[in-house]
Amino acid sequence: MHAGRFVPVLVLIIAAASPAAWSVTPAYTPVNISNNAGYSILPSIGLNGTTLLVVWRDHTPGNEEIYLARSLDTGATWSVPINVSNTAGDSQEYDWAFAGRYVYVAWKDLTAGSGDIYFRRSTTGGASFVSTVNLSMNAGASTAPHVALSGGRDVYVQWVDATPGSDQVFFRRSNDGGTTFFPLVNLSNMAVYAAGLAAFGPHVYVYWKSDDVWVRHSSDGGITFGAAVKVTTTANTGYGARMLVGGPTVDVMYVDFTPGNADVLYKKSTDGGATFGGAANISNNAGASILNRIQRSGTFVHLLWMDYTPGKEDVFYRRSTDGGLTWKAAINLSNNAGSSDPLTRGQMALAGTSLHIVWEDDPSDSGSSNIAYRRSTNSGSTFAAAVPLTSSNAAHAPQVLAVGRDAYVVYHDDSVGGGDIFFLRTATGGFALPASNGGEAGIAGTPNPAVPDGCTQRGDVRSVSPAPCPRPPK
């Protein structure tokens, strides 16, 4: 596909939907995973074979550390949490990935002063971890790591590093399961605001936000990279970019402030990021549209964002069934009298035709904070009514994992002690789904990211200072 040939023209239609009003008295009993004295925040969940893994940031030791807990019985019981980072300094922004018995965790660590990227690996499915490796080990501040895998033994780590005098994109790879790493490579060689990483088989993509969004593609497992390609070409655009890859197919979603009010745009490449088609304006409305999310399953592309058009924050959804060529009507999923807080950024997960979406919501605008959930069993064609998953009025940062027709949800709750990590699942929690009705090919459940500070997200462009995702005022 060559630039200029893919130019969809979109007129936004808001699908009719009844208000997503719901009682805040859920019948579901969550499991406290962290259950400790410190403040536990920003969880991330993944399914590794038959083992559930949850990673989060925890203040129990007195400083910030990265913790992990496992469940071998699909979430009924959980192991005692492991302190994965376990360093003298604060361990902050983190990312992780896994395959089989291998689990890889990278984080920003302040032990050495300005911040370095530390890395640990497990060869026991997360039951134990080997010694810590400092991947950056330089004078500048190293921030916002990403981890990606090809198979189980090819490991890629990317981060933003200030050592050159400005924030630039650094990259290291391992072909032996993280035992050793090749020397670091500066892939941007320009000042950046944020960066991201994605991999699929031998295809590795590193992308960043500078004056525009740029991408570099490797087709040999990160050994060599092609020249940087500019994805966006207008000023004041490319904020909060998210990229999905499937071999040579690349989907990009980002926020463009050119219209003056912020809209969510979409672009696609079918030649490994060498060229991109024209931009489709997905939100295309009067209010500011920000904090976007993207998922794909086959020819189905699902987009999620926070929108101020109704006069407050709401969660909007739109999908394409033909690989991003045309788009169905947008749906306001939250659509209630209160605010769907954009700081927590809605999350979605796919498995077959089941689509699960969670977000932090205050349906009556009373200052409370609970987790809302909606599901579709027909690939986003229609959605069941919104369901409250919590009633504490202090639940934050939900993450959702799709496993067949069921959804597994983690979040942190400030109402318990100093804050703990909680887990819910549809099969045992009271919000079981009907069986899948067939349709598009299924995809395996995938790990969802942590929600660190700023606009960071696993698989998405991560913020560094200054934050690249400005938010309009309420």
Side-chain angles (χ1 to χ4, degrees):
M1 181 177 295
H2 298 284
R5 296 186 60 187
F6 176 70
V7 187
V9 177
L10 296 175
V11 177
L12 182 67
I13 302 171
I14 302 295
S18 58
W22 35 270
S23 164
V24 288
T25 310
Y28 324 127
T29 303
V31 179
N32 189 333
I33 298 175
S34 56
N35 198 22
N36 54 25
Y39 188 45
S40 306
I41 60 172
L42 304 174
S44 170
I45 186 170
L47 181 67
N48 191 8
T50 59
T51 302
L52 276 172
L53 300 172
V54 174
V55 183
W56 68 91
R57 281 167 57 177
D58 205 296
H59 293 70
T60 296
N63 61 324
E64 293 186 78
E65 301 285 3
I66 309 303
Y67 273 52
L68 176 146
R70 307 192 308 156
S71 174
L72 305 180
D73 53 14
T74 61
T77 60
W78 290 83
S79 68
V80 175
I82 297 173
N83 186 340
V84 176
S85 52
N86 199 21
T87 59
D90 284 336
S91 304
Q92 299 178 332
E93 304 156 353
Y94 75 91
D95 195 17
W96 65 295
F98 56 79
R101 69 181 187 274
Y102 297 100
V103 180
Y104 308 99
V105 182
W107 67 93
K108 171 188 172 182
D109 200 288
L110 298 179
T111 299
S114 61
D116 281 308
I117 303 304
Y118 283 18
F119 173 89
R120 288 192 81 180
R121 64 188 178 93
S122 170
T123 60
T124 59
S128 59
F129 283 80
V130 301
S131 58
T132 302
V133 178
N134 186 337
L135 291 182
S136 53
M137 198 179 298
N138 52 26
S142 304
T143 61
H146 281 83
V147 182
L149 304 179
S150 292
R153 303 286 286 170
D154 292 320
V155 185
Y156 313 110
V157 182
Q158 164 267 315
W159 67 92
V160 173
D161 205 298
T163 300
S166 62
D167 289 323
Q168 300 191 21
V169 181
F170 281 22
F171 173 86
R172 294 190 73 174
R173 68 182 180 93
S174 169
N175 62 6
D176 57 8
T179 304
T180 61
F181 280 84
F182 288 90
L184 62 83
V185 180
N186 185 338
L187 289 180
S188 66
N189 289 300
M190 67 174 73
V192 306
Y193 294 112
L197 170 70
F200 185 91
H203 298 279
V204 182
Y205 297 83
V206 173
Y207 56 106
W208 61 88
K209 161 66 179 159
S210 184
D211 53 339
D212 292 285
V213 174
W214 297 76
V215 62
R216 293 190 69 176
H217 173 217
S218 170
S219 59
D220 56 11
I223 298 173
T224 60
F225 282 83
V229 174
K230 187 183 291 188
V231 179
T232 60
T233 56
T234 59
N236 206 22
T237 189
Y239 296 97
R242 277 78 169 122
M243 181 177 290
L244 287 182
V245 301
T249 300
V250 182
D251 300 290
V252 180
M253 186 182 184
Y254 58 93
V255 175
D256 192 328
F257 282 79
T258 301
N261 64 314
D263 276 318
V264 171
L265 272 61
Y266 167 88
K267 277 193 170 187
K268 177 181 175 181
S269 171
T270 59
D271 56 11
T275 59
F276 284 84
N281 190 333
I282 299 300
S283 56
N284 195 23
N285 53 23
S289 307
I290 60 173
L291 298 171
N292 45 296
R293 297 289 177 264
I294 181 169
Q295 292 273 12
R296 172 189 276 268
S297 180
T299 60
F300 287 72
V301 184
H302 307 270
L303 306 182
L304 192 71
W305 70 94
M306 295 292 181
D307 205 296
Y308 286 78
T309 298
K312 56 183 176 51
E313 305 96 323
D314 270 318
V315 179
F316 276 52
Y317 164 83
R318 201 168 189 184
R319 70 173 184 144
S320 170
T321 61
D322 56 12
L325 296 176
T326 61
W327 296 86
K328 306 297 183 183
I331 300 173
N332 184 340
L333 291 179
S334 52
N335 194 23
N336 54 37
S339 298
S340 305
D341 189 348
L343 288 174
T344 58
R345 303 171 296 278
Q347 302 293 329
M348 59 180 166
L350 287 164
T353 57
S354 293
L355 174 63
H356 310 272
I357 298 178
V358 293
W359 67 90
E360 187 177 318
D361 211 328
D362 181 1
S364 59
D365 222 10
S366 62
S368 64
S369 176
N370 282 297
I371 308 306
Y373 166 82
R374 292 194 80 169
R375 73 182 186 272
S376 171
T377 57
N378 53 16
S379 302
S381 178
T382 60
F383 284 85
V387 175
L389 300 187
T390 62
S391 59
S392 70
N393 296 330
H396 305 280
Q399 298 286 296
V400 60
L401 172 69
V403 183
R405 66 186 179 90
D406 292 317
Y408 297 176
V409 178
V410 291
Y411 59 95
H412 75 252
D413 196 309
D414 294 345
S415 67
V416 181
D420 277 316
I421 306 300
F422 286 86
F423 167 83
L424 286 165
R425 60 163 293 178
T426 59
T428 59
F431 51 110
L433 306 181
S436 171
N437 61 1
E440 68 179 297
I443 60 172
T446 54
N448 283 122
V451 186
D453 304 325
C455 296
T456 67
Q457 190 71 21
R458 181 185 183 279
D460 306 334
V461 165
R462 296 207 160 183
S463 323
V464 291
S465 183
C469 299
R471 294 193 304 115
K474 290 188 177 182

